[in-house]
Amino acid sequence: MIKQVKLCCVTVLFLITGVTVNAQKRFEKRADEDTKNWRYEIDCVGTGKDGTSLIKVWSYSKKPQVAMEQAKKNAVHGVIFKGVPQGERGCVSQPALARNSNVEQEKQAYFNDFFAEGGKYMKFVNLATDGAIGPGDRVKISRKEYKMGVIVSVNKALLRKELEDAGIVRGLSSGF
């Protein structure tokens, strides 16, 4: 009898673990699909210390949690390829780190690894509000889609160094 109870508990635990792992994989796949087109908006919120920028990222997704998770990836992508437009509270316009508009395609293998789940981009970004969403920052834009505004901190100084070391952008001292 005791062996049957133990076997039953082990089986249930195994099934729960399997379901959780599969759900996480589906979540990551959905997040990657939502990010493929790099559909987001960014706004300057403020400047931090030591080369960081506070950015509000508006990400789109069918699931609010997916949009929040992708905000970090979108913020780093925006700093590298789009730049950050002038905002309120004394924010100044910040040009994109990559001046070559074709670099994303030219270095596609590098950026696929860089932006993979758990990739290098994670070293340069943090949620500034610990994942809390402000009033008005969760907007249902259709029956099946949300637009989520998340404030993140991007360490532009370290990001620039990483991209310089990888040969993606020129150093500031190169006379560009």
Side-chain angles (χ1 to χ4, degrees), residues 124-144:
F124 311 105
V125 66
N126 292 305
L127 292 175
T129 57
D130 293 326
I133 300 296
D137 288 344
R138 178 181 171 153
V139 180
K140 191 166 186 174
I141 58 173
S142 72
R143 279 187 24 208
K144 296 183 178 183

Side-chain angles (χ1 to χ4, degrees), residues 73-86:
K73 198 178 284 190
N74 291 338
V76 173
H77 186 272
V79 168
I80 295 172
F81 299 109
K82 289 186 175 184
V84 182
Q86 183 173 344

Side-chain angles (χ1 to χ4, degrees), residues 85-165:
Q86 183 173 344
E88 299 175 8
R89 301 183 205 157
C91 289
V92 295
S93 177
Q94 303 167 32
L97 293 177
R99 306 293 176 136
N100 176 355
S101 60
N102 297 322
V103 73
E104 189 172 10
Q105 288 77 31
E106 291 170 3
K107 304 286 186 175
Q108 185 174 7
Y110 173 84
F111 286 114
N112 286 343
D113 290 342
F114 185 85
F115 286 114
E117 288 304 312
K120 282 187 177 181
Y121 79 94
M122 294 289 292
K123 296 188 322 187
F124 311 105
V125 66
N126 292 305
L127 292 175
T129 57
D130 293 326
I133 300 296
D137 288 344
R138 178 181 171 153
V139 180
K140 191 166 186 174
I141 58 173
S142 72
R143 279 187 24 208
K144 296 183 178 183
E145 190 172 45
Y146 288 90
K147 177 179 176 181
M148 302 288 291
V150 180
I151 298 176
V152 297
S153 172
V154 177
N155 190 326
K156 284 182 58 181
L158 286 178
L159 179 58
R160 172 176 276 287
K161 173 123 176 59
E162 167 70 27
L163 296 174
E164 286 174 6
D165 292 347

